[in-house]
Amino acid sequence: MKVLKFGGSSVATSESILKVKSIVQSQDDVVVVVVSALGGVTDELVRIAALAESADASYLEKLQALRKRHVDACDELVGSGKDGKLLRLAVDSLLNELDSICRGVFLLKVLPEKSRDQILSYGERLSSLIVTAAVGHAELYDSLDFIRMDEGHVDFERTNKLVAEKFAGYGDNSPVAIVPGFIARDGAGDIVTLGRGGSDYTASILASALDASVLEIWTDVDGFMSADPRIIKTSYVIDELTYEEATELCNFGAKVVYPPTLYPVCQKKIPIRVKNTFNPEAPGTLIHEGGANPEGRVIKGISSIDNISLITLSATSLVGIIGVDQRIFTALASESINVFLVSQSASETGISLGVSASDAEKACKVLSKTFASEIASGAVYPVKREDELAAIAIVGENMKHHCGIAGKLFSILGRNGISIIACAQGASESNISFVVEREYLRKSLNVIHEGFFLSEYQELNLFICGVGTVGGQLIEQIALQQDKLKRRRSLKINVVGIARSSKAVFDRGGIDLAHWKEALAEGMPITLARLREEVLGMNIFNSVFVDCTASADVSTLYEDFFNHGISVVAANKIAASSEYQNYRNLKKTARRRGVKFLFETNVGAGLPIINTINSLRNSGDHVQKIEAVLSGTLNFIFNTISKDIPFSETVRMAKEQGFSEPDPRIDLSGKDVVRKLVILSREAGYEVNQEDVVAEPFIPQEFFDCSLDEFWKKLPSLDAEFERQRQQLEKEHKHWRFVAKMDDGKYTVSLRTFDEHHSFYSLDGSNNIVLLTTERYHDHPMLIQGYGAGASVTAAGVFADIISIANVTN
Ligand code: ADP
Ligand code: ASP
Ligand code: MG
């Protein structure tokens, strides 16, 4: 025999009740069917009771809507024939009873526990009547006749006996037994309920009493999921769980099975299968005794309880105070307060208890009363209460076979800027539970889910600031790669924010990159402060701020981002070349917070220069000298200048082809190369500022003191002198190169000439070249060469930095 339980979502509408009917009718085995109230009806009854109690006559409208919903279901499922009329009579009679009880509550303005339970019971009493009629060849078995409660607990002895009597002779040819879940009678014969979600419990009690072969919980998801699917989009169905694992997850808020359900079936080793009414072919989740499978996943699932409070009792030492724990738990039990989590320090100076927010007030009161004399004498501090918290549990029996799970958990949280307020590990080592601030709940669940490889893929959430040539290209490249990265690297890149100077668009679900321009055009107006607020406010896990601007203002945000667990990838050179102390400080903050600050494209666009210097240093090498041609713009200019193309024209071409800064004078002055030399030298371990670099100008100062317009006008006046020098170089077989050099504590940038014997001689187009002389690469310096400018290689470099962050979050 099987016991099938259909939850509220499975019987919410006439269509879903027809699905239930077909599932029931397709069973080979003898089945007993337990049903919940139509989806949402119990919540509605709770509201109606509360309105009536506060003498609010609007309860009548709600009651009327409830009546209509049930009557409509009768009409749709059974019609108006003889069966339909009989059903309507029974349903009307129950609804009339409900009306009278509610009216009583409305008039008396009191809602005793018993009346509340009675009101709530009508949900299942009505649904079971309707389902019985809808399924056909079925009979209603009223659980009020056989589920017995005694002082808030199921009286299993009596219940089992009554069930046995009621179901004696139930078998192959009997009409299908349909049983209302959730309701029972107490010792006095009054109607009581088994607690919210209690239909699962009814089904379990029956399965145990009838020695069923399996208890099937039919709901609206494909099974027990690795995390609450409403919060974690990437959660997936768990194939199997042990009773212990399921208990831990359910006790910690996994709503899919009501926690007491596990006990009766576990006692008899009856397996539970969680199935989806709306996708009956899916295998669902098997909860059973199971043997430990050390090969299996370490963490099976994560669950959480939103809105809890932490109550702390502390003293310089609780050791001398007799029976503290017993007094605490007796006091809390006397008020029926459920404690989710207990965290006690080894020195016994304090104990923290996680309780639901609605119990916090009561818990404080009862503990203050229990320890009144100790508090008065100063032996115990006044009871402390912290609100707006959430508790999370990670569960898996295999944790006991693996070291370092807690370490990994805490480092994942720490890296994402989430601090743990209290934590506890059960002695069974199949559960680690901890408390975080409520606003961090969603983010915590996401990072843990991903961190323990629960997700099919890892996620990286990007805020892209600046959509000029580099930013725009980057978005296009991401759009092209998104799919491939997901398939091949299991990496899901979401662009959750795009900003330009005055507008921004944010979407935590990921902006559709096929239409990012339209989305941005319709975005919100943005200021620097607003940008900061939005990025921090989204509080999203694994996030990276990508700065593709050249803005000093934007670079002032990095530190705040690091402090909130957000990595920064900057094409913007300002921060890395700013005052040395600021640069150091940013790098230190990022390291301390466990996030990344990457700016490979600050020098040589996509060429791996900074990465190479870092690798050399990390492996114990020491960079002694740097010589480099780092300005793609200047190299382009000096490679393009010819008898037909004068100097001024080459500058214009560099600008038009996107090789130069918007104001090309930043390139011509050597300022950009100074910044790059400073960045490389710093990365090589030298403490240097821009003022320490001697820059030898190769065009007169007046060109830098005027406006940009005037500059363009005046520029051709330099052409003749450049042509003279060019002809001279041609004769000598030499080339111009604008060189940055760090050697022996001296930093220079200057225009120099090289003959064909030097590696700088043949350097095409806008290419860059870097020669690194190190302790290991001494006689033959290391040479890095390639495209050093251009939107697409720079964007690709930024992209590579982003991907390397995904590697560290693994
Ligand atoms: P029913 O009405 O069938 O009793 P419930 O609403 O009580 O259904 O429970 C099913 C719901 O539980 C799912 O729709 C899902 O949103 C929620 N849920 C929370 N945590 C989990 C989890 N770990 N696995 C599956 N569902 C979960
Ligand atoms: N109808 C009850 C509730 O909503 C019981 C259940 O659905 O399991 O809590
Ligand atoms: Mg339920």
Side-chain angles (χ1 to χ4, degrees):
M1 182 189 299
K2 285 168 117 180
V3 174
L4 274 51
K5 177 258 165 176
F6 291 91
S9 44
S10 307
V11 292
T13 62
S14 302
E15 295 89 77
S16 61
I17 293 176
L18 289 176
K19 290 196 193 307
V20 169
K21 177 179 176 177
S22 97
I23 292 166
V24 170
Q25 288 181 343
S26 65
Q27 300 293 322
D28 298 332
D29 216 339
V30 175
V31 295
V32 171
V33 175
V34 177
V35 292
S36 289
L38 307 195
V41 163
T42 314
D43 287 337
E44 204 53 19
L45 289 168
V46 170
R47 283 189 278 269
I48 289 171
L51 285 172
E53 184 191 12
S54 56
D56 184 334
S58 68
Y59 86 92
L60 281 168
E61 283 158 38
K62 290 196 178 293
L63 213 46
Q64 193 53 37
L66 205 74
R67 179 180 288 271
K68 181 166 182 325
R69 187 169 167 198
H70 287 93
V71 167
D72 285 351
C74 294
D75 291 347
E76 283 160 22
L77 289 162
V78 194
S80 52
K82 187 170 143 256
D83 289 349
K85 286 204 175 90
L86 280 174
L87 175 64
R88 274 296 299 274
L89 269 178
V91 164
D92 279 340
S93 144
L94 283 179
L95 285 165
N96 293 343
E97 276 175 42
L98 175 62
D99 279 352
S100 319
I101 300 167
C102 292
R103 180 153 180 79
V105 172
F106 174 73
L107 292 175
L108 295 172
K109 297 195 196 124
V110 284
L111 180 64
E113 184 88 20
K114 289 214 157 156
S115 308
R116 184 179 178 277
D117 270 0
Q118 209 179 354
I119 291 174
L120 296 198
S121 75
Y122 283 93
E124 269 70 8
R125 290 162 76 189
L126 286 160
S127 68
S128 54
L129 263 178
I130 297 171
V131 173
T132 306
V135 165
H137 194 57
E139 187 180 336
L140 181 69
Y141 282 59
D142 191 349
S143 34
L144 295 177
D145 296 341
F146 47 82
I147 309 268
R148 288 286 169 269
M149 297 281 279
D150 185 20
E151 297 194 352
H153 297 284
V154 173
D155 179 345
F156 279 100
E157 219 179 289
R158 284 202 62 204
T159 300
N160 288 346
K161 197 162 152 276
L162 289 169
V163 171
E165 284 168 19
K166 185 83 191 174
F167 284 85
Y170 183 68
D172 276 340
N173 299 319
S174 318
V176 180
I178 310 283
V179 183
F182 185 51
I183 56 176
R185 279 193 200 280
D186 66 9
D190 291 324
I191 294 177
V192 287
T193 60
L194 302 182
R196 293 307 306 274
S199 295
D200 297 340
Y201 195 21
T202 307
S204 171
I205 295 164
L206 276 178
S208 161
L210 294 169
D211 279 319
S213 59
V214 62
L215 163 62
E216 291 183 354
I217 305 272
W218 289 81
T219 181
D220 60 351
V221 281
D222 276 350
F224 210 119
M225 322 264 300
S226 53
D228 188 335
R230 290 163 303 183
I231 304 181
I232 310 286
K233 280 182 268 136
T234 52
S235 61
Y236 58 81
V237 177
I238 306 170
D239 300 338
E240 52 159 6
L241 285 168
T242 63
Y243 291 120
E244 188 177 336
E245 288 168 336
T247 307
E248 302 271 18
L249 287 168
C250 293
N251 277 330
F252 246 84
K255 195 189 164 210
V256 63
V257 178
Y258 180 51
T261 308
L262 276 308
Y263 171 75
V265 282
C266 170
Q267 287 272 301
K268 291 217 166 160
K269 305 198 187 343
I270 299 169
I272 301 179
R273 195 169 273 284
V274 180
K275 299 268 297 173
N276 189 351
T277 304
F278 305 92
N279 184 17
E281 283 76 37
T285 301
L286 182 67
I287 304 172
H288 62 155
E289 194 177 34
N293 170 16
E295 300 298 304
R297 280 183 190 278
V298 180
I299 307 296
K300 288 274 189 74
I302 312 168
S303 53
S304 62
I305 307 173
D306 192 9
N307 204 7
I308 71 154
S309 297
L310 204 62
I311 311 293
T312 302
L313 199 70
S314 58
T316 34
S317 167
L318 290 174
V319 179
I321 305 170
I322 314 289
V324 178
D325 289 358
Q326 195 215 338
R327 286 165 68 195
I328 291 173
F329 289 106
T330 311
L332 294 174
S334 72
E335 294 286 333
S336 307
I337 295 168
N338 187 15
V339 179
F340 303 118
L341 170 140
V342 182
S343 171
Q344 189 160 26
S345 61
S347 62
E348 293 192 36
T349 54
I351 179 165
S352 295
L353 309 149
V355 301
S356 98
S358 55
D359 283 339
E361 180 82 38
K362 259 194 313 190
C364 278
K365 265 199 191 135
V366 69
L367 290 179
S368 301
K369 204 166 118 202
T370 308
F371 291 90
S373 66
E374 284 92 342
I375 293 171
S377 72
V380 170
Y381 298 121
V383 179
K384 192 176 130 200
R385 164 178 171 183
E386 290 162 90
D387 293 325
E388 291 294 307
L389 305 174
I392 299 174
I394 62 171
V395 173
E397 284 204 48
N398 267 347
M399 269 199 255
K400 49 181 162 256
H401 304 292
H402 288 80
C403 304
I405 301 297
K408 179 169 177 182
L409 170 71
F410 296 155
S411 87
I412 291 172
L413 292 168
R415 214 166 47 214
N416 281 281
I418 303 163
S419 54
I420 294 174
I421 294 164
C423 104
Q425 175 161 27
S428 67
E429 278 190 60
S430 59
N431 163 333
I432 301 175
S433 39
F434 57 95
V435 176
V436 297
E437 278 175 42
R438 212 176 152 196
E439 60 176 306
Y440 282 104
L441 174 60
R442 180 180 281 270
K443 186 171 174 183
S444 307
L445 291 172
N446 271 294
V447 294
I448 300 166
H449 195 267
E450 190 188 281
F452 283 96
F453 298 118
L454 286 177
S455 304
E456 284 168 58
Y457 42 79
Q458 189 196 357
E459 285 187 57
L460 216 49
N461 295 298
L462 311 184
F463 296 94
I464 298 178
C465 190
V467 293
T469 44
V470 173
Q473 268 286 332
L474 175 67
I475 298 177
E476 300 303 333
Q477 290 182 9
I478 294 173
L480 277 176
Q481 290 299 316
Q482 241 171 353
D483 231 36
K484 222 184 272 171
L485 283 169
K486 201 165 150 193
R487 272 187 286 114
R488 299 215 186 127
R489 287 252 351 233
S490 301
L491 173 64
K492 182 161 182 258
I493 300 216
N494 302 317
V495 176
V496 293
I498 302 180
R500 59 176 161 85
S501 49
S502 57
K503 278 213 158 150
V505 54
F506 297 96
D507 182 348
R508 64 183 313 133
I511 296 163
D512 175 6
L513 296 187
H515 304 289
W516 70 271
K517 285 188 181 144
E518 294 89 318
L520 185 58
E522 283 164 21
M524 58 163 90
I526 198 98
T527 58
L528 191 71
R530 184 83 191 272
L531 174 67
R532 177 189 168 278
E533 245 171 61
E534 291 289 336
V535 172
L536 297 183
M538 275 172 94
N539 198 4
I540 221 165
F541 70 109
N542 282 2
S543 40
V544 184
F545 181 82
V546 185
D547 183 359
C548 296
T549 71
S551 151
D553 287 346
V554 174
S555 73
T556 61
L557 300 174
Y558 300 173
E559 182 161 10
D560 235 5
F561 290 158
F562 295 146
N563 280 322
H564 287 82
I566 301 171
S567 293
V568 171
V569 170
N572 183 351
K573 302 183 191 76
I574 292 180
S577 60
S578 63
E579 267 306 298
Y580 184 77
Q581 270 323 316
N582 186 51
Y583 156 86
R584 277 295 317 146
N585 190 31
L586 287 174
K587 292 202 69 150
K588 240 166 72 191
T589 311
R591 189 167 317 131
R592 210 181 54 236
R593 295 291 178 176
V595 294
K596 288 279 158 185
F597 176 29
L598 301 178
F599 41 86
E600 176 65 77
T601 52
N602 280 193
V603 182
L607 294 180
I609 305 173
I610 293 178
N611 264 324
T612 307
I613 292 180
N614 281 318
S615 305
L616 289 170
R617 285 189 73 202
N618 291 339
S619 60
D621 205 349
H622 174 66
V623 180
Q624 295 164 328
K625 188 162 129 188
I626 300 173
E627 285 168 289
V629 178
L630 293 175
S631 171
T633 322
L634 294 180
N635 215 38
F636 172 84
I637 290 171
F638 292 115
N639 276 338
T640 310
I641 192 167
S642 69
K643 103 174 164 318
D644 304 321
I645 312 174
F647 174 71
S648 60
E649 185 53 28
T650 61
V651 178
R652 200 175 290 281
M653 285 165 71
K655 164 88 176 32
E656 277 161 11
Q657 294 180 25
F659 289 134
S660 77
E661 299 283 327
D663 182 346
R665 290 177 297 179
I666 297 184
D667 297 297
L668 295 172
S669 66
K671 210 173 151 197
D672 189 51
V673 178
V674 168
R675 292 198 299 198
K676 289 174 176 170
L677 180 63
V678 164
I679 296 170
L680 284 191
S681 306
R682 285 175 175 178
E683 289 294 296
Y686 296 87
E687 184 175 336
V688 53
N689 274 310
Q690 293 190 38
E691 306 81 80
D692 304 327
V693 182
V694 180
E696 293 167 15
F698 60 90
I699 49 178
Q701 186 58 34
E702 59 191 270
F703 284 79
F704 301 103
D705 297 337
C706 58
S707 72
L708 188 56
D709 269 356
E710 265 174 71
F711 163 80
W712 283 117
K713 269 193 217 126
K714 273 178 20 181
L715 199 58
S717 68
L718 294 174
D719 290 348
E721 174 57 16
F722 271 102
E723 179 54 17
R724 192 191 62 74
Q725 290 185 26
R726 194 194 64 75
Q727 286 175 11
Q728 179 65 26
L729 285 184
E730 204 168 51
K731 266 190 226 141
E732 295 171 15
H733 297 289
K734 282 185 175 175
H735 283 162
W736 268 309
R737 297 291 172 236
F738 193 74
V739 176
K741 186 165 165 188
M742 187 253 348
D743 188 15
D744 200 21
K746 289 204 191 69
Y747 304 88
T748 51
V749 299
S750 56
L751 189 61
R752 291 164 50 193
T753 56
F754 294 91
D755 65 23
E756 60 203 313
H757 303 296
H758 197 282
S759 46
F760 286 2
Y761 176 81
S762 40
L763 196 59
D764 290 339
S766 68
N767 281 8
N768 276 194
I769 190 164
V770 181
L771 279 176
L772 298 172
T773 309
T774 74
E775 268 170 25
R776 288 186 195 138
Y777 292 83
H778 198 81
D779 295 338
H780 301 283
M782 184 186 277
L783 188 149
I784 304 165
Q785 180 176 1
Y787 289 134
S792 76
V793 282
T794 309
V798 172
F799 201 179
D801 272 351
I802 295 170
I803 301 283
S804 76
I805 293 180
N807 292 339
V808 292
T809 57
N810 263 339

